[in-house]
Amino acid sequence: MSSMTKLIGYVMHSSKEYVCVMQLHRHVAEEDLRRVLREFTGTIYQRPPLRSSVKRSVRRRNVYEIELLEYSGSMALMRVSCDAGTYMRKLCWDIGLMLGVGAHMRELRRIRTGPFTENLNLVRLQELSEAVYAWRSEGREDLIRRAIMPGEVLVCQMPKIVLRDTAVESIVNGAKLAAPGVAMVSNRVKKGELVALLTLKGELVAVGRSLMDYNEVLEASRGIVVEPVRVVLEPGLYPRAWKRGEQGRAP
Amino acid sequence: MKESVGVDLTGLGRRFIEGLGGLCGFEERFHVKVDEGTGEGYGWVPTMRPIAKYIEYGVVNLDKPPGPTSHEVVAWVKRLLNVQKAGHGGTLELPVF
């Protein structure tokens, strides 16, 4: 909740997956439909619709996959995985244009935003409210611990670097991460890309940009490894390991 | 002392860290640079945070009902959990119009 709201942007701007029902205005052969769906896979150009919250200039978006789940009469059920900011209603409309018969979107359900799928502990409002009730009235924490996940799941798709205890508080206070502060590093860490900084206990400290590839991180004995961009962990939790008056680097 | 003495925090932390990517199909392997454990008396393994902290550092994958807006749902959840700040990162269920 409070602390993790800072990371929402990273989740919202990651890829999405939808299931959508498209109504064709006339029946076409399934092979024609499949061919056109293939044409809409890859990089596509889209102008945001009239009623949208962004500037209406043509934008490039990646469609990673369109799977035709069912096709009967003139209705097509599809699963689409794409970049954030790809308009499904527009996609259906454009597919209709390409097929020459016209089409529009009938129904839409998002099944994934970044790491959040329908399978990742999806809870209903009612379940959450019951969990809170059991906690407040009976002191039972188990339901709430099941409904709410540690915010660390937000960074499950990011490569991770684990900090030594002595480096944690200085990162929280705005320092950059230097090589001696690293305890472990994931083999997915890449120079220039986002990384999550965790404590040895697993707490998310910050999200930052890596200045090194993972093998460089492993070998480096000095130098800046990561520039934090968003600090999540609160100050004062970990012991200060640096001397008074000394600033800037960790540990 | 915030953690009970004798719990293997380093082991529990390591398990949590190594399991994180698997929650969303992200494959990674960790290499140890400095073989060092974590100390007791500060911080928590995320699953073991005391309940108020657990909520403060928590997220809910909420199945939004089709009627109310995301904004309304966030307001309800805030009141329900009595937290100052909450936000949403897009919804799974979208109203059809």
Side-chain angles (χ1 to χ4, degrees):
Chain A
M1 307 287 153
S2 316
S3 312
M4 297 297 173
T5 53
K6 293 178 184 172
L7 296 181
I8 285 173
Y10 295 107
V11 176
M12 269 182 87
H13 295 124
S14 51
S15 63
K16 310 279 168 79
E17 204 167 315
Y18 301 90
V19 169
C20 105
V21 177
M22 176 173 66
Q23 162 102 66
L24 299 173
H25 299 164
R26 240 183 321 124
H27 180 79
V28 298
E30 184 169 325
E31 55 185 273
D32 290 336
L33 176 57
R34 285 189 187 277
R35 178 177 45 80
V36 169
L37 292 185
R38 272 199 302 277
E39 283 175 39
F40 277 90
T41 311
T43 306
I44 62 162
Y45 293 83
Q46 245 190 6
R47 185 187 293 277
L50 263 176
R51 283 176 62 177
S52 65
S53 52
V54 295
K55 190 174 170 227
R56 294 194 58 234
S57 53
V58 176
R59 312 194 294 182
R60 256 175 43 182
R61 285 294 180 269
N62 289 307
V63 174
Y64 301 105
E65 199 187 351
I66 304 180
E67 185 190 359
L68 186 61
L69 299 169
E70 268 178 52
Y71 181 48
S72 79
S74 55
M75 297 272 238
L77 180 68
M78 340 183 262
R79 186 181 57 80
V80 182
S81 130
C82 55
D83 280 340
T86 315
Y87 290 91
M88 287 300 107
R89 188 174 296 277
K90 186 75 180 152
L91 184 74
C92 291
W93 187 266
D94 293 346
I95 289 170
L97 278 182
M98 191 75 99
L99 282 166
V101 298
H104 68 276
M105 190 181 76
R106 280 287 290 265
E107 277 181 68
L108 179 67
R109 183 176 167 93
R110 190 186 290 162
I111 56 170
R112 180 173 64 80
T113 302
F116 290 96
T117 63
E118 291 182 305
N119 302 325
L120 186 68
N121 201 22
L122 188 66
V123 298
R124 274 168 292 183
L125 212 41
Q126 180 210 350
E127 293 169 301
L128 185 63
S129 129
E130 282 170 2
V132 172
Y133 181 80
W135 168 47
R136 290 215 203 277
S137 66
E138 300 161 39
R140 279 182 55 190
E141 295 180 2
D142 58 325
L143 292 178
I144 239 171
R145 286 185 188 270
R146 209 179 307 155
I148 299 177
M149 295 177 282
E152 279 75 13
V153 300
L154 290 174
V155 298
C156 63
Q157 288 177 323
M158 268 183 215
K160 301 158 192 72
I161 289 180
V162 182
L163 311 177
R164 297 168 69 185
D165 285 357
T166 46
V168 175
E169 189 64 8
S170 49
I171 299 295
V172 169
N173 280 282
K176 294 173 182 174
L177 174 64
V182 176
M184 292 198 288
V185 56
S186 149
N187 64 337
R188 299 287 297 269
V189 169
K190 268 209 194 106
K191 189 175 177 170
E193 295 191 0
L194 288 175
V195 285
L197 303 181
L198 304 175
T199 67
L200 281 160
K201 295 186 180 76
E203 301 146 297
L204 179 63
V205 179
V207 167
R209 207 161 284 283
S210 181
L211 304 182
M212 294 182 186
D213 284 330
Y214 100 94
N215 51 337
E216 295 176 272
V217 179
L218 263 183
E219 282 155 27
S221 55
R222 49 194 292 228
I224 302 296
V225 175
V226 176
E227 281 186 358
V229 289
R230 277 276 187 282
V231 173
V232 172
L233 203 68
E234 69 201 270
L237 213 53
Y238 273 69
R240 287 173 76 128
W242 70 97
K243 295 181 211 96
R244 278 172 69 93
E246 195 184 319
Q247 279 181 348
R249 291 190 180 188
Chain B
M1 201 63 86
K2 289 170 185 172
E3 306 276 3
S4 50
V5 181
V7 176
D8 174 21
L9 292 173
T10 305
L12 287 171
R14 181 85 187 243
R15 271 229 299 278
F16 181 85
I17 291 165
E18 292 188 329
L20 208 47
L23 290 175
C24 56
F26 184 79
E27 281 177 32
E28 62 185 344
R29 269 179 300 115
F30 286 90
H31 295 261
V32 175
K33 184 172 167 72
V34 177
D35 194 6
E36 178 177 271
T38 183
E40 286 178 4
Y42 47 85
W44 298 280
V45 174
T47 48
M48 295 164 68
R49 287 180 176 123
I51 195 73
K53 286 280 176 208
Y54 186 83
I55 293 171
E56 190 188 325
Y57 285 95
V59 296
V60 187
N61 191 7
L62 197 68
D63 192 1
K64 188 186 88 62
T69 63
S70 308
H71 195 84
E72 287 173 302
V73 173
V74 168
W76 293 346
V77 172
K78 263 196 220 174
R79 273 190 53 181
L80 193 62
L81 292 169
N82 201 15
V83 290
Q84 304 299 314
K85 264 172 71 185
H88 68 90
T91 50
L92 280 174
E93 181 94 65
L94 287 168
V96 180
F97 45 152

